Amino acid sequence: MALETPEWLNLGFVNKALQQSENDSSIQVSSIFSESATTKGDNYVSDVIRITVEFSRDQGDHRITEKKSIIAKVSPTDGGSRQKLVEDVGYFNFEISMMSNTLNKMNELLGPKHRVSGKSLYIHKGNPTVLVMEDLTPLGFHKADRSSSLDLAHCTLALQGLARFHAATVALCEKVNYT
């Protein structure tokens, strides 16, 4: 979907996000391409942007070039009712806390094979507030068509994921209560 790239979403912003998330100051972003990761009418409380990044970094005594896809979830800044709702209820701050704290702990308990979410990579608290996270599309994940029903195999997969999520929350609560 066509997207007018916000002014703040530039090489410098993405470079800082990658350097921090990878804990690697040698990263140098050479190009970015952004597109909307959602379609009109998806009713998200944030704008979701997919960013394809080409960058280089030091590896031993030479530089390597890599390509990576990341997601930026951006708090609304249009001044409309969506922005007011998000700010009044605190949706975006709650999501940032869930992604960067709770879900990270749940994923640590479950291990990489059974994690329940993408990784939170970078948080920019400013205007706008931005949560940068791992794009799961390269791992084979995609959003189901909301106007179609799920088949039995996908329903089973969804319920297994929900059960794993529930189990991880219980384990995390027990761990917090016993430590």
Side-chain angles (χ1 to χ4, degrees):
M1 173 182 261
L3 170 75
E4 184 177 324
T5 304
E7 191 174 305
W8 58 265
L9 182 53
N10 54 35
L11 292 176
F13 178 86
V14 176
N15 198 74
K16 182 177 180 181
L18 279 183
Q19 283 183 347
Q20 183 174 320
S21 71
E22 302 273 334
N23 195 26
D24 185 349
S25 61
S26 76
I27 289 176
Q28 289 299 310
V29 173
S30 54
S31 71
I32 59 173
F33 171 77
S34 61
E35 62 183 343
S36 181
T38 59
T39 55
K40 190 170 178 70
D42 279 347
N43 300 319
Y44 288 93
V45 295
S46 58
D47 297 321
V48 185
I49 303 169
R50 176 171 288 111
I51 307 163
T52 304
V53 186
E54 192 167 312
F55 63 98
S56 62
R57 69 165 88 206
D58 291 341
Q59 187 174 58
D61 60 352
H62 64 283
R63 287 191 72 75
I64 59 169
T65 300
E66 297 179 52
K67 199 172 196 176
K68 183 176 195 162
S69 181
I70 57 177
I71 296 290
K73 295 190 82 175
V74 185
S75 64
T77 58
D78 60 4
S81 59
R82 184 174 67 132
Q83 180 180 349
K84 182 170 177 17
L85 175 70
V86 168
E87 289 173 356
D88 289 351
V89 178
Y91 283 130
F92 207 72
N93 289 329
F94 181 75
E95 183 173 14
I96 287 172
S97 176
M98 275 296 291
M99 289 297 303
S100 62
N101 185 11
T102 309
L103 289 174
N104 277 350
K105 290 176 182 174
M106 290 167 60
N107 286 332
E108 286 174 16
L109 288 171
L110 292 168
K113 184 178 177 190
H114 297 292
R115 62 191 175 127
V116 293
S117 70
K119 297 172 188 161
S120 171
L121 302 175
Y122 177 75
I123 299 165
H124 172 75
K125 294 253 186 175
N127 189 17
T129 301
V130 181
L131 169 63
V132 177
M133 52 198 280
E134 175 184 22
D135 184 359
L136 296 178
T137 304
L139 298 176
F141 291 87
H142 66 278
K143 212 170 49 160
D145 180 357
R146 69 181 183 161
S147 64
S148 297
S149 299
L150 295 177
D151 60 20
L152 180 60
H154 285 95
C155 286
T156 302
L157 188 63
L159 287 174
Q160 287 171 338
L162 185 59
R164 192 174 293 120
F165 185 94
H166 176 70
T169 62
V170 170
L172 185 59
C173 284
E174 288 179 356
K175 184 177 179 181
V176 169
N177 288 332
Y178 292 116
T179 55

